[in-house]
């Protein structure tokens, strides 16, 4: 004889509004930093996957192929973004109250400008590497980022640039055999 089990009762906290995008009680979209970061990670991961799946394969490739690691990175970024955005939604639902977005986003403009400065330094490195060569470009990059982070100008910055460039050159060129742009050092 088969006995029916009693119905399962799940109790969830009451939520005043329910939608795919969290909404504050005033009806405006709740764009917390976590939610926006999750959406950004999802977008970056999706774009990365488009390019990773576009890589051509060759008959000489191994089983993973040239797109194996980029695909893995893209999927990890996409999944991480989903987890961050879902966590933000769950946090909002559990709290039952809209966060104070004025406090949460306070000072973020300065951080965006600061990040844009780092991006500009990186862009200058990318544009300068073919002309200056890897050793000079990476030395300047290390010194510029150190100064941008607040290090005092001096001999230490020069040592960080030259020492870091020598170390990275040795690792990539001598140990790993990766060909790097020579730039100014092409005659050597």
């Amino acid at each position: 004889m088969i006995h029916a089990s009693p119905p399962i009762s799940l109790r969830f906290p009451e939520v005043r509004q329910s939608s795919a995008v969290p909404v504050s009680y005033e009806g405006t979209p709740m764009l917390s930093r976590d939610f926006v970061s999750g959406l950004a990670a999802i977008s970056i991961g999706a774009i990365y996957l488009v390019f990773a799946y576009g890589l051509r394969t060759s008959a000489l490739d191994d089983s993973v192929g040239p797109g194996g690691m980029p695909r893995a990175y893209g999927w990890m970024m996409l999944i991480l973004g989903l987890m961050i955005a879902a966590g933000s939604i769950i946090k909002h639902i559990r709290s039952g109250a809209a966060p104070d977005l004025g406090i949460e986003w306070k000072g973020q403009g300065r951080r965006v400008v600061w990040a844009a400065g780092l991006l500009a330094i990186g862009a200058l490195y990318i544009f300068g590497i073919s002309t200056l060569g890897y050793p000079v470009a990476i030395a300047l990059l290390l010194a510029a980022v150190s100064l941008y982070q607040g290090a005092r100008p001096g001999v230490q910055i020069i040592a960080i640039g030259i020492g870091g460039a020598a170390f990275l050159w040795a690792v990539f060129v001598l140990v790993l055999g990766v060909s790097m742009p020579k730039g100014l050092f092409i005659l050597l």
Side-chain angles (χ1 to χ4, degrees):
M1 181 172 202
I2 300 175
H3 297 284
S5 60
I8 297 173
S9 173
L10 297 175
R11 303 187 93 190
F12 294 101
E14 282 188 35
V15 178
R16 293 184 188 183
Q17 295 178 349
S18 174
S19 68
V21 176
V23 176
S24 71
Y25 294 115
E26 292 81 32
T28 58
M30 188 204 78
L31 297 175
S32 67
R33 288 186 305 172
D34 288 343
F35 189 71
V36 171
S37 298
L39 292 180
I42 291 168
S43 300
I44 292 168
I47 291 168
Y48 203 82
L49 283 172
V50 167
F51 286 110
Y53 278 102
L55 293 173
R56 288 194 279 162
T57 57
S58 165
L60 301 174
D61 288 337
D62 59 4
S63 61
V64 176
M69 289 308 292
R71 289 176 189 159
Y73 295 148
W75 281 112
M76 285 190 290
M77 182 67 118
L78 190 92
I79 291 168
L80 177 66
L82 287 170
M83 290 171 57
I84 292 170
S88 173
I89 293 169
I90 291 168
K91 180 180 171 185
H92 172 65
I93 290 171
R94 284 189 178 163
S95 72
D100 186 354
L101 296 179
I103 293 173
E104 185 166 347
W105 285 96
K106 184 177 181 179
Q108 294 305 307
R110 286 190 303 264
R111 291 181 180 168
V112 169
V113 171
W114 181 81
L118 281 176
L119 183 64
I121 292 171
L124 288 172
Y125 164 75
I126 290 171
F127 290 120
I129 192 169
S130 60
T131 305
L132 299 173
Y134 181 76
V136 175
I138 198 73
L140 291 173
L141 173 73
L142 293 171
V145 169
S146 297
L147 290 169
Y148 194 74
Q149 293 282 61
R152 281 188 265 148
V155 177
Q156 289 117 352
I157 298 297
I158 296 169
I160 287 171
I162 293 172
F167 174 76
L168 292 170
W169 177 268
V171 168
F172 286 108
V173 176
L174 301 177
V175 176
L176 298 175
V178 176
S179 177
M180 293 294 186
K182 292 187 172 122
L184 301 172
F185 296 102
I186 198 149
L187 301 174
L188 298 178

